[in-house]
């Protein structure tokens, strides 16, 4: 994630009401081995998969849970970080950074808005498990 900034906890309007979410803004994010699990309005599970997904431009990223292993400068290796709207942002982690690299991120994604979305070598595939 390049140019990432934690914007705070927001109330995201949805068709079902309001959802409390963490809001991040950034210039760019690249995710290797991207997989998104969702469902239709009837509850049928959907899975979107590609080798790499890039969101670029004016990126707004909303999540109800964000977990990943983060390397902190001067810190003891990788630190597992879990963020939710009800958990405070941990001390010592910058809320604005030029670039953050998370390993093994697991994100309960609510919404993404960006100027450009591209995939790597593989097209985005939709499967019905």
């Amino acid at each position: 994630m390049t140019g990432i900034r934690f914007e705070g906890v927001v109330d995201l309007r949805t068709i079902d009401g309001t959802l409390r979410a963490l809001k991040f803004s950034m210039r760019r994010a690249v995710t290797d081995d991207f997989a998104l699990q969702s469902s239709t309005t009837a509850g049928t599970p959907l899975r979107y998969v590609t080798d790499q997904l890039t969101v670029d431009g004016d990126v707004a990223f909303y999540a109800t849970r964000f977990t990943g292993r983060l390397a902190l400068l001067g810190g003891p290796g990788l630190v597992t970080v879990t963020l939710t709207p009800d958990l405070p942002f941990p001390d010592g982690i910058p809320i604005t950074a030029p670039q953050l690299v998370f390993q093994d991120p697991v994100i309960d994604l609510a919404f993404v808005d960006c100027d450009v979305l591209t995939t790597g070598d593989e097209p985005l595939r939709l499967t019905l498990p």
Side-chain angles (χ1 to χ4, degrees):
M1 291 178 255
T2 305
I4 186 169
R5 177 173 174 77
F6 176 62
E7 301 288 347
V9 177
V10 299
D11 291 326
L12 186 61
R13 290 186 308 154
T14 73
I15 196 166
D16 295 325
T18 302
L19 180 67
R20 284 179 39 92
L22 304 162
K23 180 181 180 185
F24 298 88
S25 63
M26 63 199 78
R27 287 188 308 278
R28 182 175 206 235
V30 179
T31 305
D32 292 327
D33 298 322
F34 176 84
L36 174 66
Q37 296 178 30
S38 183
S39 61
T40 66
T41 55
T44 305
L46 302 173
R47 182 173 163 88
Y48 300 88
V49 179
T50 187
D51 63 328
Q52 186 178 77
L53 186 83
T54 301
V55 289
D56 230 330
D58 187 18
V59 180
F61 173 103
Y62 301 84
T64 57
R65 182 177 175 90
F66 186 115
T67 300
R69 296 184 313 140
L70 175 65
L72 299 177
L73 292 176
L78 295 173
V79 175
T80 298
V81 176
T82 298
L83 305 172
T84 71
D86 297 323
L87 291 175
F89 211 83
D91 289 338
I93 297 176
I95 61 172
T96 301
Q99 183 170 357
L100 291 177
V101 176
F102 283 92
Q103 292 185 4
D104 306 320
V106 176
I107 302 166
D108 292 347
L109 188 62
F111 183 71
V112 174
D113 186 30
C114 64
D115 294 335
V116 178
L117 183 146
T118 56
T119 63
D121 294 331
E122 297 178 12
L124 188 62
R125 295 182 319 274
L126 169 62
T127 60
L128 301 168

